[in-house]
Amino acid sequence: MEAISRLVAELDAADQKAAQAAIGAGFAYGLAAIGPGVGIGYVVGKAIEAMARQPEAAGMVRTTMFLGIAFTEALALIGFVVFILLGL
Amino acid sequence: MLALEFPPINEVIRWRDLFTSFNKISLIAVLAALIGSLIFILAARSDATKSPRGVRNLAEMIVEFVENNIVMQTIGRDGLRWTPFLTSLFIFIYLCNLPGIIPIFQMPATARMAIPLFLAVVVWLIYNVVGMISQGPVHYFKGIMFPPGVPKPIYLLLTPIELVSTIIIRPFSLAIRLFANMLAGHMLLVTFALLSEALFQATTKKFILVPMGILPMFMLLFLTLFEVLVGFLQAYIFTILTSVFIAGAMHPEH
């Protein structure tokens, strides 16, 4: 962190702004990925547990699992879009 | 060390016009529509009295997949008349996603916002109109804004959230989910392709770098395989969410 700020301090104004945007974008994506990462892990883990307990309901569980993943994943994807908008 | 410069986003996803306002993305979208229609037209023209062969097998497999895994799981038996719409949606999105991994094309048409947003707007119109027709406009909006079985004071909080999420956020999250997934996959492929190219062409004294280029190349192969899965999965998820929205508009919560 310190090394990054020392590097940033050496740049001129325009480059400094770009560097700060890039750092912000990196943090935006990194932070946005934490919650959905935990969430998707939880959804899939529980779905696998349910499928193992009741293999005949696997089709229904899989459909619902994909729905859950899709809703959870949206947050991470918004983070990714912000990352593109800020960083590039 | 390495002169590795990631190209600006415009170079990665923008293509020169083939002719006025018609670029590679449009070409892929048009091809996807044509190929999708061709499969089903050819299948429909084959003899229905004999056992299915060739392209008819493929078409029957697709329709059966949509019926069993999407319509029956979400809407139920009375949703079977939505199968044609959902099948064409699924096939179109899948064929738009697939060029992301086909050489020469190397670009999923859904990695630009235009196609996902248009499809999401179509879906938004359809589920709202279906809701208004099958429940009546007043009952439909009442069902959205005041879901039953909630204590009265909660409505103060719940009504604005439900209204905004159903009317505004739903189509956007539907579009952004497809768009961002395909764009992320495309960027990953670009990143690893650039990395292995830069390593193969490295001109330093440490020529250990040149054989190191194998590593990102294997990652690229693996990611290409992964993209096959993602392209299918995103088409599936888009279709199943459409189907869930239609189901929610047809049968209100009790």
Side-chain angles (χ1 to χ4, degrees):
Chain A
M1 209 46 231
E2 207 177 294
I4 294 174
S5 47
R6 211 180 308 134
L7 270 178
V8 168
E10 283 170 12
L11 302 169
D12 60 13
D15 278 350
Q16 220 169 46
K17 212 174 165 193
Q20 278 161 357
I23 292 171
F27 272 106
Y29 182 61
L31 291 176
I34 295 175
V38 175
I40 291 176
Y42 196 73
V43 168
V44 176
K46 284 285 180 191
I48 289 172
E49 208 172 276
M51 281 187 219
R53 275 167 193 249
Q54 217 171 351
E56 66 271 15
M60 204 185 69
V61 172
R62 197 176 297 118
T63 311
T64 321
M65 180 187 83
F66 280 127
L67 276 178
I69 290 176
F71 285 125
T72 319
E73 197 187 35
L75 298 170
L77 292 175
I78 291 169
F80 174 73
V81 172
V82 171
F83 162 71
I84 297 272
L85 289 178
L86 283 180
L88 294 164
Chain B
M1 236 181 66
L2 282 174
L4 187 62
E5 187 79 23
F6 197 82
I9 187 87
N10 264 346
E11 264 176 57
V12 180
I13 60 168
R14 270 193 82 162
W15 299 91
R16 226 175 293 129
D17 288 359
L18 298 177
F19 44 87
T20 315
S21 72
F22 188 89
N23 55 12
K24 198 159 87 172
I25 314 288
S26 331
L27 180 71
I28 291 168
V30 170
L31 276 183
L34 284 181
I35 292 172
S37 333
L38 198 70
I39 289 173
F40 284 95
I41 289 171
L42 283 182
R45 285 177 64 173
S46 68
D47 191 357
T49 53
K50 292 188 191 120
S51 61
R53 298 176 52 228
V55 73
R56 194 183 167 92
N57 255 336
L58 179 70
E60 281 188 6
M61 212 174 76
I62 295 165
V63 172
E64 222 159 75
F65 170 76
V66 171
E67 260 185 17
N68 292 338
N69 284 321
I70 296 176
V71 180
M72 289 302 282
Q73 303 278 353
T74 53
I75 313 182
R77 185 151 281 285
D78 58 341
L80 282 180
R81 66 202 157 104
W82 286 101
T83 308
F85 171 65
L86 293 173
T87 308
S88 40
L89 199 62
F90 175 77
I91 284 297
F92 180 67
I93 296 174
Y94 183 57
L95 287 177
C96 276
N97 288 347
L98 209 53
I101 47 160
I102 297 177
I104 304 167
F105 287 116
Q106 303 280 39
M107 172 85 202
T110 38
R112 300 293 302 274
M113 197 52 174
I115 292 174
L117 192 59
F118 171 73
L119 290 174
V121 168
V122 169
V123 168
W124 180 80
L125 277 178
I126 282 179
Y127 78 75
N128 276 322
V129 169
V130 164
M132 282 188 233
I133 288 175
S134 62
Q135 297 181 35
V138 178
H139 197 239
Y140 174 60
F141 282 108
K142 199 170 157 247
I144 290 176
M145 287 192 284
F146 304 102
V150 182
K152 282 257 153 52
I154 302 290
Y155 281 130
L156 216 60
L157 197 65
L158 196 65
T159 304
I161 293 177
E162 280 290 311
L163 197 65
V164 167
S165 102
T166 313
I167 303 296
I168 299 170
I169 296 183
R170 250 186 202 182
F172 273 102
S173 78
L174 197 59
I176 286 178
R177 184 173 297 119
L178 179 58
F179 157 73
N181 259 306
M182 294 324 289
L183 181 62
H186 187 58
M187 301 282 278
L188 271 178
L189 292 184
V190 170
T191 309
F192 280 98
L194 278 174
L195 193 57
S196 64
E197 189 200 5
L199 281 172
F200 278 137
Q201 294 178 343
T203 50
T204 48
K205 280 176 194 158
K206 301 174 192 157
F207 44 86
I208 182 76
L209 283 178
V210 178
M212 286 267 273
I214 295 286
L215 295 175
M217 211 185 77
F218 271 115
M219 193 67 195
L220 186 63
L221 285 179
F222 170 73
L223 281 175
T224 309
L225 202 66
F226 183 64
E227 281 304 299
V228 180
L229 181 72
V230 167
F232 172 77
L233 207 60
Q234 287 311 311
Y236 175 60
I237 284 175
F238 195 98
T239 322
I240 204 165
L241 282 176
T242 306
S243 166
V244 166
F245 294 158
I246 292 174
M250 276 165 78
H251 314 291
E253 289 166 50
H254 302 290

